Amino acid sequence: MARKRGRDIHGWLILDKPLGPSSTTMVNRLLRFFDGRKAGHGGTLDPLASGVLPIAFGKATSTIPYIMDATKRYRFTLSFGESRTTDDREGDVLATSDVRPSDEDIRAVLPSLCGDVMQVPPVFSALRVGGQRAYDLARAGRPPELPPRPARIDSITLVDRPDADTAVFDVQSGKGVYMRSLARDIALACGTVGHISVLRRTKCGPFDLSHACSAEQLGLDKTDETRDKACVLPVPLLEAATALVDIPALAVTKAEGKTLICGQAVTLAHLEGGVPDGVETVPLWRVMIGEHVIGLCRVAEGRLRAVRMLENHLFFGEQDVDYS
């Protein structure tokens, strides 16, 4: 989201999102709170979910797609015995079951839910059906039939069993996986029904809870009258390129970097830093001059071409840096 007025603020802020507000609500609050011009988040968390919510300001918004595509980790509690309209504790009860699976029953079904799977999204989701949000149709009493969608679930681990009615899981997954759907599907695979009662994201791409600040640490619990306006940014923002650290790095010289910035390709045979083995099998490279990330490139037909460049000012602005 962009604002007509505001300061130029660039970088990532990692919020430990509280329960209650939506991801978009938190982005808007931080944008106003810090008086920024432009911000966006790197992956939606439901209002009843907490945890790692990466928020990009200014130029960092150009790296949001790479966080959206990144691997994520979650911890959730599955409550057995009731399926609900929303697949979480907020919804109305749809069906009940007296079946309570054992730990062995649960572990036996988890491998079948991992890997590249087809997942039916929750009816109460932001997916568009005929130009309308699925949750709007569901609330209007016309829940849509949502087709299964491809999903990648790397691992599901049963980590705790507080009682017969609940089980706690750690999950690592790719883009677009619905934890509410996964909780529902685990229960169904165990011969019962269930819904997610607690959900927390612990990692999103390179960002985890160690990077995250709470709303209280950021001063979001204060009013304009009580907060210290001299300290608009209570924590330093992480550089935009921090979002790209999971992408393999490829070193180039300053001359090669300038060629890429200008939209021209660099022949691999001419790369002074050498070419790693299997360079053409990697879908995306994080191109670096020394310790500085200048952008993202792809390799095809023996040439390195720019996909998205971040540091044009290093070559053409007043802040030019000498890497020699």
Side-chain angles (χ1 to χ4, degrees):
M1 175 170 289
R3 300 173 71 217
K4 291 183 179 179
R5 297 184 301 275
R7 302 184 308 146
D8 284 321
I9 303 172
H10 307 288
W12 283 95
L13 184 148
I14 313 306
L15 176 68
D16 187 346
K17 189 188 90 65
L19 298 175
S22 69
S23 298
T24 300
T25 296
M26 296 309 298
V27 171
N28 291 338
R29 286 181 65 186
L30 285 164
L31 193 62
R32 292 192 300 270
F33 194 76
F34 293 153
D35 191 30
R37 291 187 180 180
K38 184 179 181 181
H41 64 73
T44 301
L45 282 176
D46 293 334
L48 292 182
S50 67
V52 176
L53 180 65
I55 298 177
F57 290 89
K59 294 178 181 178
T61 58
S62 66
T63 62
I64 285 177
Y66 307 102
I67 289 297
M68 298 287 281
D69 290 343
T71 298
K72 301 170 179 67
R73 294 190 69 93
Y74 299 86
R75 175 165 289 202
F76 68 76
T77 300
L78 166 56
S79 292
F80 294 110
E82 292 181 345
S83 65
R84 302 208 173 190
T85 52
T86 58
D87 293 315
D88 62 21
R89 69 176 187 270
E90 187 179 39
D92 298 326
V93 176
L94 282 173
T96 61
S97 172
D98 293 329
V99 174
R100 299 296 183 268
S102 67
D103 291 9
E104 292 72 23
D105 293 333
I106 295 171
R107 292 191 176 99
V109 305
L110 297 183
S112 66
L113 298 170
C114 292
D116 293 319
V117 300
M118 298 298 290
Q119 185 185 70
V120 177
V123 172
F124 282 79
S125 65
L127 294 174
R128 288 194 177 275
V129 180
Q132 298 185 67
R133 297 290 188 185
Y135 55 64
D136 288 332
L137 294 171
R139 288 168 184 158
R142 296 180 287 119
E145 290 287 336
L146 297 176
R149 292 157 52 98
R152 191 194 82 240
I153 300 173
D154 299 321
S155 65
I156 314 169
T157 305
L158 175 65
V159 295
D160 195 14
R161 197 74 194 275
D163 51 52
D165 293 329
T166 56
V168 182
F169 298 87
D170 273 346
V171 177
Q172 179 170 299
S173 68
K175 176 185 178 182
V177 176
Y178 289 93
M179 292 300 115
R180 286 179 290 150
S181 292
L182 179 58
R184 174 201 66 205
D185 293 345
I186 292 173
L188 290 173
C190 290
T192 185
V193 293
H195 63 275
I196 214 166
S197 53
V198 179
L199 174 60
R200 184 160 174 77
R201 185 156 64 195
T202 57
K203 194 172 188 294
C204 185
F207 306 123
D208 58 30
L209 288 169
S210 69
H211 301 103
C213 299
S214 68
E216 291 75 21
Q217 287 174 308
L218 294 171
L220 293 178
D221 57 333
K222 299 178 181 179
T223 65
D224 285 343
E225 289 73 28
T226 59
R227 71 184 178 96
D228 181 5
K229 293 186 178 181
C231 183
V232 179
L233 289 175
V235 294
L237 299 184
L238 302 173
E239 292 183 4
T242 311
L244 310 176
V245 297
D246 289 343
I247 298 173
L250 182 65
V252 299
T253 65
K254 187 175 181 182
E256 292 163 348
K258 189 169 184 178
T259 298
L260 293 167
I261 290 282
C262 291
Q264 301 173 23
V266 175
T267 303
L268 292 182
H270 296 159
L271 280 181
E272 294 187 18
V275 180
D277 293 337
V279 65
E280 298 208 21
T281 64
V282 177
L284 205 60
W285 287 97
R286 175 169 48 106
V287 178
M288 306 186 68
I289 299 175
E291 298 298 318
H292 297 264
V293 179
I294 64 166
L296 296 169
C297 293
R298 286 195 177 96
V299 173
E301 298 178 348
R303 291 175 174 268
L304 184 67
R305 294 184 181 275
V307 173
R308 184 182 295 274
M309 306 309 287
L310 304 176
E311 298 291 354
N312 301 40
H313 72 273
L314 297 179
F315 301 96
F316 306 117
E318 296 178 357
Q319 305 175 45
D320 195 34
V321 178
D322 183 6
Y323 294 109
S324 57

